[in-house]
Amino acid sequence: MMEIKKVGVLGCGLMGSGIAQVAAQSGYSTTVLEVSRELLDTGLKRIDQFLAAGVAKGKVRPEERQATLSRLSGTTDYESLKDCDLVIEAVIENLEAKREAFSRLERSLKKEAILASNTSSLSITEMAIATKRPQRFVGLHFFNPVPLMKLVEVIRTIRTEPAVEETVVGFAKNLGKVPVRTLDRTGFIVNRLLVPYILDAIRALEEGVGSISDIDQGMKLGCGHPMGPLTLLDLVGIDTTYYIADIMFDEFRDRRFAPPPLMKRMVLAGFHGRKTGRGFYDYASEPPRANDFLTQR
Ligand code: CAA
């Protein structure tokens, strides 16, 4: 097994910033890359705020916050990642964008480094074969919010060397996560089961089975879920979930994965969930108010 010392993360959005944070918090020297200084600053600020909130809640020691930040650096230059042992990609859910990021990275990255993608739905094999090292390529799928969610899906392709899979499983454990192994099938384990469920919640809303808050309360209190499906959609991002569902529909050609019409309209209208301030709920008020007009005539 290879020893991972230096970690790189491509993308400092919702997922990338969380991944960079837990890597740095777990003792790895971590460099996170964004395409612009502005996006980088936003991502690094998110990390700092999460750590600060952790200190306020008594979950993170002040010196741990400082140590984490000292192990973390941000960059807009791919060259800064050249010495990384493992680079985790968390850029937008678009195959071309991901391939482009890997290709720029590989111009300077050392040969033995392992590449991983945090994709939720794209084919790991399709990404791996576009790189110079498909045998050193895996999927490493984290869950939102990354610092709080225990699970990591580790995905090997039929080209992945067993030692590389073992190295990454060990890395996930070092982050304090619980790794599960899965094959390269769109959606892996969790989204294969989760996506039809959350899309069905939108269909139930469209059909008038229940209101936004009643659907959420129903699943929260009736099934013991930590949050209802529409609140979860707002957390993950309605745009992100739409793209995931669309890719899964394309792979399986099964209507369980087909995004419902309301979802597409919400994406087009900028109702992307918490990150845009509104989705199924409006986040301008506290507590957030259900947007019941979404299904009214
Ligand atoms: N630093 C450290 N710890 C923190 C923290 C911080 N900034 N903020 C919160 N915590 C801790 C809290 O102290 C608390 O710890 P205890 O359980 O020990 O008390 C714990 O984290 C939970 O936090 P809260 O009590 O503030 O919040 P909560 O109980 O409402 O839980 C949640 C929040 C973890 C997000 C929970 O609601 C949950 O699990 N929701 C479901 C999320 C989910 O399903 N995510 C998966 C989405 S799918 C995906 O990501 C994959 C994909 O491909 C689409």
Side-chain angles (χ1 to χ4, degrees):
M1 261 187 5
M2 179 181 170
E3 198 192 344
I4 307 287
K5 286 190 188 137
K6 198 167 182 309
V7 175
V9 180
L10 300 181
C12 199
L14 221 47
M15 298 302 285
S17 62
I19 297 167
Q21 180 189 323
V22 291
Q25 224 166 344
S26 307
Y28 294 99
S29 159
T30 307
T31 306
V32 59
L33 177 137
E34 252 304 349
V35 288
S36 72
R37 197 72 230 178
E38 199 187 350
L39 287 172
L40 183 63
D41 288 344
T42 308
L44 292 174
K45 201 167 142 209
R46 187 180 303 119
I47 296 175
D48 194 29
Q49 281 170 347
F50 201 98
L51 291 167
V55 172
K57 284 175 200 270
K59 294 281 168 165
V60 177
R61 280 172 289 109
E63 53 279 20
E64 187 185 339
R65 175 185 176 197
Q66 280 320 317
T68 300
L69 294 174
S70 72
R71 282 189 288 263
L72 184 69
S73 60
T75 185
T76 54
D77 178 7
Y78 281 84
E79 280 260 340
S80 322
L81 300 177
K82 66 178 195 291
D83 298 325
C84 289
D85 304 300
L86 168 68
V87 179
I88 306 164
E89 169 278 317
V91 307
I92 56 163
E93 204 64 347
N94 172 293
L95 187 62
E96 267 323 299
K98 288 178 190 281
R99 280 183 161 181
E100 166 75 16
F102 281 124
S103 138
R104 292 186 65 177
L105 172 71
E106 278 196 309
R107 279 180 214 155
S108 48
L109 184 67
K110 64 180 183 185
K111 282 206 168 47
E112 62 276 25
I114 295 174
L115 298 180
S117 173
N118 177 58
T119 184
S120 302
S121 50
L122 294 167
S123 161
I124 304 296
T125 312
E126 210 169 349
M127 262 177 262
I129 53 148
T131 70
K132 295 181 191 132
R133 61 191 94 194
Q135 72 286 0
R136 303 190 73 70
F137 198 109
V138 290
L140 197 56
H141 184 219
F142 291 82
F143 293 81
N144 187 9
V146 178
L148 304 185
M149 300 298 283
K150 279 279 180 196
L151 188 73
V152 175
E153 290 177 313
V154 177
I155 303 106
R156 70 177 153 83
T157 75
I158 49 179
R159 292 287 306 269
T160 311
E161 275 170 15
V164 168
E165 185 188 9
E166 293 319 310
T167 299
V168 172
V169 164
F171 170 74
K173 287 182 183 163
N174 287 344
L175 298 186
K177 304 289 184 200
V178 178
V180 291
R181 296 165 200 251
T182 170
L183 290 179
D184 183 26
R185 295 290 178 277
T186 294
F188 317 126
I189 296 172
V190 174
N191 280 338
R192 175 76 165 254
L193 300 176
L194 177 69
V195 170
Y197 155 68
I198 50 182
L199 296 182
D200 258 349
I202 305 176
R203 290 187 189 105
L205 178 70
E206 283 181 326
E207 288 168 24
V209 173
S211 68
I212 292 171
S213 44
D214 284 351
I215 289 173
D216 273 349
Q217 287 289 24
M219 293 312 292
K220 206 174 149 183
L221 303 180
C223 291
H225 289 184
M227 49 173 66
L230 302 172
T231 304
L232 182 59
L233 268 157
D234 276 359
L235 174 76
V236 174
I238 292 158
D239 54 337
T240 306
T241 314
Y242 178 84
Y243 296 126
I244 294 172
D246 219 25
I247 293 165
M248 294 183 77
F249 179 69
D250 207 41
E251 169 125 323
F252 297 116
R253 308 292 161 110
D254 179 336
R255 62 194 298 265
R256 286 184 302 147
F257 300 104
L262 173 62
M263 189 179 201
K264 182 170 180 180
R265 303 308 183 273
M266 290 177 73
V267 174
L268 290 171
F271 284 63
H272 296 180
R274 273 189 210 186
K275 61 184 164 189
T276 58
R278 58 186 181 177
F280 290 99
Y281 294 85
D282 195 313
Y283 294 89
S285 53
E286 187 50 46
R289 194 174 31 79
N291 280 331
D292 290 314
F293 61 84
L294 288 172
T295 49
Q296 276 156 9
R297 253 187 285 273

